[in-house]
Every structure is written in C-alpha cells, then in structure tokens.
Amino acid sequence: MLSHISASLSRTSSLTATTAFSLRPSLTSRFRFHPINYRKLRFSSAASMDRTSTPASVDSISEDLKNQRLEKDNHVVDGVRNAANSDNITPNRVNLKLEELKWDHSFVRELPGDPRTDSIPREVLHSCYTRVSPSAEVDNPQLVAWSDSVAELLDLDAREFERPDFPQIFSGASPLSGGMSYAQCYGGHQFGMWAGQLGDGRAITLGELVNSSGHRWELQLKGAGKTPYSRFADGLAVLRSSIREFLCSEAMHFLGIPTTRALCLVTTGKYVTRDMFYDGNPKDEPGAVVCRVAPSFLRFGSYQIHASRGKEDLGLVRTLADYTIRHHFPHLENLSKSESLSFSTGEGDDSVVDLTSNKYAAWAVEVAERTASLIAKWQGVGFTHGVLNTDNMSALGLTIDYGPFGFLDAFDPSYTPNTTDLPGRRYCFANQPDIGLWNIAQFATTLSAAQLINEKESNYAMERYGTKFMDDYQAIMTKKLGLSKYNKQLISDLLKNMAVDKVDYTNFFRLLSNVKADLTIQDDELLVTLKAVLLDIGKERKDAWTSWVKSYIQELSASGISDEERKKSMDSVNPRYILRNYLCQSAIDAAEQGDFEEVRRVLKVMSRPYDEQPGMEKYARLPPAWAYRPGVCMLSCSS
C-alpha cells in the first residue's frame, strides 16, 4: 500500500527537477497536492486549494475534532491536560524544588517494557522501552545555560539552577529524586530506506511529571550514556551539538513554532571523540548533556518498529496508539456523531470517511494536519530540518531532534544544512513539504498494517496534509507581505527574484515592512528601502526588482490598510533575529574555551526575535565570510 507514493517521493532531486507530484489515481479526481515548485518558483495546486481571489483561510479538521470534546475543559483527561494544545504558562507561579516535582510515569506504567535492564546493544523485542540509568562519566560538570521559561512550565523554582548539585543531577551523575529513567524503542526510515530498530541511543528519559496546571512533561537527558539502542556508538554528546540543540529548541519556541524545549545544558568535564565529517580525522571535544523537555518524545518510528516485526507485535501499535490518544489527544475519545466530520471521497456508494466513528482515523488526520502546519511554519521563517527521517518526526507535531539544521541566509531553495544529504538533497528546503507527506504516508501505512485505519481513511489523512499545508503556507506568506488577500503571482515573482539574487531571507522580509503604499514614489527611489539586502545587482536586476516593488505597492494601496498598521502586523511574523548557524558557532567557540556568556546572550536575544533590541543589532547581521565553511553552515548527522 502506498508504495508508489514512497517510490515517487524517494526520487529526490535538485532544482533541475520539479518537486511536484500527485497522489494515487483514486484521489486525483478531487485532490492534487502540488507543493511549491521552486525550479519555476511558482505555486501550483488544485483549483480547490488556489485562494488567489479571497483572503487566505486556514481550515483545520483537528480544530473541529477538539470542539467535539464533551467535557467543559477539552484538554483534560484523567485530570491531566495536553500541554501541546493549551497555554503552557501558569497564571500563578508555583515554585518547587527538584525533590518536590510531581511525577506520574505513565509511559512506564501503562506500556510493555524490556525485561532486561542492561545497556548492551541488542534488538529489543515486544517492548516500548528499556529501563536504563544515565552512565556518562563526569568530572566537575558545569552549568552552561538554562531556560527560566521551561523551569516555569515545570513549576521549578528558578533558584534551583543555583544548587551546587544541579550540574551533577542534570549530567546524570546523580539521580533525580522521584525519576524513573528509560530509553524508548523505535525504528524509522533514514533517507528513504527502512533502518530497522534505532531507539534512544544517547537519550535517556528521566521520567514524566505533571505540573500544577495538569500539563504533562517528559524530561530527557541527551548524551547521558549507552542504552541497548546505541548500536556501535558511545551514547555521548559533545558541547558543540548540545549548544546548537539547546539554543534552537528555545529559539524555535519564541518564534512561535511547535518544538521540544530545553531546560538546561551542562558540560561533563570529559572529552568525547568525534569525526565530524566522517573523513578519518576524529578529534576530542568537550562532552555535554542537554535536558530536553516535551509532552512526549513519541515519533512516527515509535509505531513503525512494532508494525515492521509482523503479526506478533502488531498489537503493540494499537496499544501505543491508545496510550497516545488517551494522554495527548484526549479530545478524540468518545466523539459524538457529526455531519461536519463526515467527508465524501467521491468513490461510489461506500465513499464516506466519518472521523467520529474511528478515533484512529481522526488521530491520523490530526497528526497529518499538525505536521503540515509545522512544516508550513518552518517554510515561513526559512528553517530547514536537516534529517527529516521518520524517527525524527514527532507524533505530536513538534520540531524534534536538532542535529544538522539551518535557517536560510541567502535564499536558496536547494539549501540543505546536512553534509550527509548533499548527494541527493533529499531534505533540502524546497523538498521539505514533499518529505512531510512521504513521512505521513509511512505513518498511515503503519496504522493500516495494524488494521486501525482503512485505505480510504489513510488516503484522507494524506489529503488533509496537502490541504492544510497549502492553506497555512498561503496564510503565512500573505501575512509576511502585509497583504489583505493571497496573491499567487506576486509571491511567485518575489521568490523567483530572491532566488536569482540570493537575497537574505530574514532581513528582506523585515525591511519590506518599511515600504510605503505610495503610488507617487519615483522609480529611481523604489528600491531605497530595500538597498541593504539588494546587494551587487546590475541594471537588469534593478529593473526586475523595481517592477516587482511597483506591483507590490499597487496591491498595498488597494488594500486600504495603513502603513503603520501593516508594519506592525508584518513585524509580528517577520523576525528581526533568527538563530543563524554562525551565531551558534560563535557561542560554541567561546564555550569551548570555558566562556559561557555568549551562549546565554544569544539565548536572551532569541527569546525576543520579533522585537527591535537596541545594542543587539550585530545579531541580525549577514553572515561573515567564515560562516560559509563546512562545520558552520553545514554539518553532518554526527553533529
């Protein structure tokens, strides 16, 4: 099932080939998903998805499903709220010591575990996890950085960061009171190929806690030592990659993008050997551990691994799906019949998908929509996830696993931040919407194999991915340009111009808000506002940009929105500051010399990405020449 989709999407390409494709023939009569064709730099989609004449709208079936919840509080089940779908900050701050955190450990309590507790690399069968403890060696560990925002989510008193034993606890050297540590078992497709068992090879979950607002949070140490899933690796992490993960987790959150979070980062005081470029030149680097935080670290691969093992383990797919819905999608339990949640597929008499009659189908649709919305948000800020394997796709629609990643500097649709991805650029910026659908197809195949959803429901989940992505992306781009309605041609021409001249993505959109809707501006003055980003362009390119700006001003003047109102709106979605790779590297260089202040300074700047921050202008500058060397602009999977 879905093999032809897998085949078509696994043929990744550079800009010399189109990224557009269509779904199986049974769907093409009513749906054809064409993501952005960056080769021609235009938008193409079915007429039903082309909203060029009306304001961009964002339709979401998952929102309708949430509204079906019968309880007064539609995020509560068994007294626990779903933190991924509700306000994360408590109105009245609770300040607890580490020993006072409220643990629950539902994952260990409700799901089957490995009978063995050793860390010997091996295949773990019929289990969702293995109970293991952190084992990384430490020598005078030090606290590098921390997030007061995440501490607040956990009800943790910020003064706990000052505890002398805090680095010991969050390096894994000392146990966390009340914790119940384990490593999760999962598999996944890596670069389009099934890789079998993967699992938490260097991440160990300390346990789950429930805060005073009923939000569930999982704490996980990355780089804490070997687990049965480590294969031939050492289970450790280096300071370089840990700083990147810590900073980007928090930066993405403050950009408004769903993501795992990071509570703290500590050095281990030991060195770890890494061959960054797989070129036979390993070197010793400072070791570190980052504490990641999320409602759950479940991924597509968490379900795939059990389906891949045949009939004996297919029941685990249902067990894990039931657990996930119960704790993280509670609004899908006990749905009431509703015509608004029944959809015709146009395939004869038996052509209705009723999401209220099968909670697993409703769940698949919501996962598809969350994933589509997430990737649309990535595209909006120019973010590229360098390793979109199915084991790196969150079942909750979060950005997860920050290995190689990058924000666009010069606009280049073929950009990939992963040196391992260079031959085919499978995960380049232009391909991310396609890959999201490919991964959803694998997820749907897994649920189908476990007989949780049928073919119609599987197809419908993928259809919703396409619709949701296009709706969200068009809405994002409309707002980024300060338009009152989506203008396909205007945006298409803009992206084409940006690609030709390699314009800085972030700075361009930030400056664009300063353009005035004044039809009397002379042609030779139209580009003054954008001069800082339109560098080294000749007369032909100046003419192209002048033509575009004139069209843009005409569109703005017709909208009736004041310049002041439009600028405020545009600046709220076009960040001034993003976590460029060279900013990470500057912080890494200082930290490796024992100076952690730059890490903390970058974190502070990235916590207010949409604000003008006097004195911090250097963090918005274009990358210097050294930023384009390997190891800065691009990294390997080992990073």
Side-chain angles (χ1 to χ4, degrees):
M1 181 182 177
L2 307 176
S3 59
H4 70 288
I5 295 178
S6 301
S8 68
L9 281 169
S10 64
R11 296 193 294 269
T12 56
S13 60
S14 67
L15 291 181
T16 60
T18 179
T19 61
F21 65 93
S22 59
L23 296 182
R24 57 172 58 238
S26 61
L27 283 179
T28 55
S29 61
R30 60 187 302 268
F31 171 76
R32 186 178 296 270
F33 172 42
H34 292 291
I36 308 162
N37 180 340
Y38 284 100
R39 175 172 172 260
K40 297 181 180 179
L41 288 162
R42 60 182 175 81
F43 294 87
S44 56
S45 62
S48 62
M49 296 166 63
D50 185 1
R51 309 183 190 280
T52 57
S53 59
T54 58
S57 63
V58 181
D59 302 319
S60 175
I61 288 175
S62 61
E63 287 302 314
D64 291 338
L65 288 166
K66 292 185 184 71
N67 292 335
Q68 278 276 301
R69 185 67 173 162
L70 299 179
E71 283 80 357
K72 182 177 180 181
D73 186 337
N74 69 346
H75 295 300
V76 176
V77 60
D78 297 333
V80 179
R81 296 172 184 260
N82 179 357
N85 288 315
S86 54
D87 188 4
N88 293 332
I89 304 298
T90 55
N92 298 310
R93 177 71 188 267
V94 176
N95 295 303
L96 302 178
K97 295 181 178 180
L98 288 171
E99 293 79 7
E100 298 171 331
L101 296 175
K102 310 301 181 183
W103 298 98
D104 182 62
H105 306 307
S106 68
F107 198 87
V108 172
R109 184 178 67 247
E110 299 177 23
L111 295 170
D114 182 2
R116 292 171 56 175
T117 58
D118 61 84
S119 297
I120 299 173
R122 53 192 162 82
E123 188 175 24
V124 177
L125 300 174
H126 322 310
S127 305
C128 294
Y129 64 89
T130 301
R131 290 289 307 278
V132 290
S133 299
S135 59
E137 294 184 8
V138 304
D139 181 10
N140 188 29
Q142 297 182 60
L143 181 61
V144 176
W146 61 92
S147 171
D148 289 327
S149 172
V150 176
E152 187 171 351
L153 297 181
L154 308 178
D155 293 337
L156 182 65
D157 192 327
R159 290 172 293 186
E160 290 293 276
F161 292 120
E162 302 171 8
R163 288 174 54 152
D165 62 345
F166 190 91
Q168 286 284 133
I169 294 171
F170 284 93
S171 64
S174 298
L176 179 57
S177 177
M180 188 176 289
S181 59
Y182 65 89
Q184 188 188 153
C185 179
Y186 53 81
H189 282 84
Q190 297 193 324
F191 295 91
M193 303 296 293
W194 176 246
Q197 177 180 293
L198 299 168
D200 287 332
R202 58 175 172 175
I204 296 176
T205 293
L206 297 178
E208 300 165 58
L209 59 82
V210 178
N211 69 12
S212 57
S213 295
H215 301 155
R216 183 179 300 278
W217 294 103
E218 185 176 319
L219 275 64
Q220 185 180 89
L221 298 185
K222 186 172 181 179
K226 283 189 175 182
T227 77
Y229 312 103
S230 298
R231 293 176 287 178
F232 302 106
D234 56 19
L236 305 176
V238 297
L239 182 60
R240 165 176 50 85
S241 60
S242 300
I243 286 174
R244 287 173 55 81
E245 174 133 19
F246 176 84
L247 288 176
C248 204
S249 298
E250 292 305 282
M252 291 289 273
H253 168 73
F254 289 109
L255 283 168
I257 296 174
T259 179
T260 58
R261 303 292 302 277
L263 174 66
C264 61
L265 168 63
V266 299
T267 59
T268 62
K270 293 287 189 176
Y271 282 86
V272 176
T273 303
R274 284 291 181 269
D275 185 352
M276 185 192 301
F277 299 112
Y278 304 125
D279 60 359
N281 294 297
K283 70 172 186 176
D284 290 340
E285 300 185 49
V289 177
V290 62
C291 180
R292 308 195 295 186
V293 177
S296 173
F297 286 93
L298 284 165
R299 313 111 190 284
F300 292 3
S302 303
Y303 311 88
Q304 286 182 286
I305 187 62
H306 305 303
S308 73
R309 288 171 168 167
K311 292 183 178 180
E312 190 173 359
D313 278 8
L314 278 178
L316 276 180
V317 179
R318 181 184 294 268
T319 298
L320 190 55
D322 286 339
Y323 168 86
T324 307
I325 293 171
R326 180 164 61 252
H327 289 291
H328 302 290
F329 298 81
H331 52 282
L332 300 182
E333 301 272 21
N334 304 316
L335 292 170
S336 60
K337 203 77 172 177
S338 169
E339 289 186 6
S340 68
L341 290 170
S342 295
F343 306 93
S344 173
T345 61
E347 298 175 358
D349 295 335
D350 186 24
S351 63
V352 174
V353 172
D354 178 13
L355 297 182
T356 63
S357 65
N358 182 359
K359 68 178 181 179
Y360 304 112
W363 177 48
V365 166
E366 184 158 347
V367 171
E369 286 199 349
R370 287 194 189 188
T371 303
S373 184
L374 175 67
I375 295 177
K377 288 182 172 69
W378 288 353
Q379 299 259 299
V381 296
F383 175 81
T384 305
H385 192 299
V387 202
L388 272 185
N389 299 327
T390 56
D391 56 295
N392 291 339
M393 296 294 291
S394 164
L396 273 61
L398 308 173
T399 313
I400 192 171
D401 283 348
Y402 292 94
F405 66 81
F407 289 85
L408 290 174
D409 293 320
F411 183 65
D412 178 6
S414 68
Y415 168 69
T416 177
N418 188 349
T419 56
T420 313
D421 190 39
L422 276 177
R425 296 184 185 266
R426 175 183 176 86
Y427 296 142
C428 74
F429 181 77
N431 286 349
Q432 303 244 316
D434 282 7
I435 294 300
L437 180 55
W438 194 92
N439 290 338
I440 287 293
Q442 310 315 311
F443 180 67
T445 299
T446 297
L447 301 187
S448 297
Q451 298 184 337
L452 301 183
I453 62 176
N454 60 35
E455 185 173 357
K456 285 186 307 177
E457 293 164 338
S458 175
N459 285 337
Y460 190 68
M462 289 184 287
E463 174 179 340
R464 284 307 306 174
Y465 174 96
T467 303
K468 181 64 172 169
F469 175 82
M470 291 304 296
D471 274 357
D472 276 26
Y473 185 79
Q474 290 181 2
I476 288 167
M477 295 304 292
T478 299
K479 195 169 184 182
K480 282 179 75 70
L481 270 73
L483 304 176
S484 59
K485 60 183 179 181
Y486 177 68
N487 187 317
K488 176 181 176 181
Q489 190 62 51
L490 189 71
I491 294 174
S492 172
D493 290 343
L494 170 61
L495 295 178
K496 179 179 179 179
N497 283 335
M498 291 180 72
V500 169
D501 294 311
K502 298 293 186 283
V503 176
D504 186 85
Y505 189 84
T506 299
N507 288 349
F508 175 85
F509 281 107
R510 187 70 177 193
L511 283 176
L512 192 63
S513 67
N514 296 321
V515 171
K516 306 297 183 183
D518 183 356
L519 295 173
T520 67
I521 298 176
Q522 298 298 308
D523 285 6
D524 59 357
E525 297 179 0
L526 285 172
L527 302 185
V528 172
T529 305
L530 303 174
K531 183 178 179 181
V533 288
L534 299 181
L535 306 172
D536 302 322
I537 59 174
K539 183 180 184 305
E540 181 181 350
R541 297 306 307 150
K542 285 183 179 178
D543 290 344
W545 277 105
T546 297
S547 176
W548 184 86
V549 172
K550 288 175 70 174
S551 297
Y552 178 55
I553 290 175
Q554 288 176 348
E555 187 77 3
L556 295 182
S557 62
S559 70
I561 303 173
S562 70
D563 290 338
E564 293 76 16
E565 182 183 353
R566 184 181 65 258
K567 177 175 173 55
K568 182 178 180 181
S569 175
M570 291 175 67
D571 285 352
S572 72
V573 295
N574 292 316
R576 173 80 163 116
Y577 302 95
I578 51 153
L579 188 65
R580 298 176 189 266
N581 274 330
Y582 86 90
L583 295 177
C584 280
Q585 191 61 47
S586 295
I588 290 166
D589 290 343
E592 289 182 337
Q593 300 303 314
D595 180 1
F596 305 142
E597 284 306 311
E598 185 63 13
V599 176
R600 298 166 188 172
R601 192 175 298 113
V602 171
L603 174 64
K604 185 176 181 181
V605 172
M606 297 304 151
S607 69
R608 294 169 51 206
Y610 298 101
D611 296 345
E612 295 291 342
Q613 300 181 46
M616 296 299 171
E617 292 81 4
K618 70 176 184 178
Y619 292 97
R621 290 176 185 165
L622 296 177
W626 61 263
Y628 294 97
R629 71 172 189 258
V632 180
C633 67
M634 298 184 69
L635 301 106
S636 69
C637 288
S638 70
S639 302

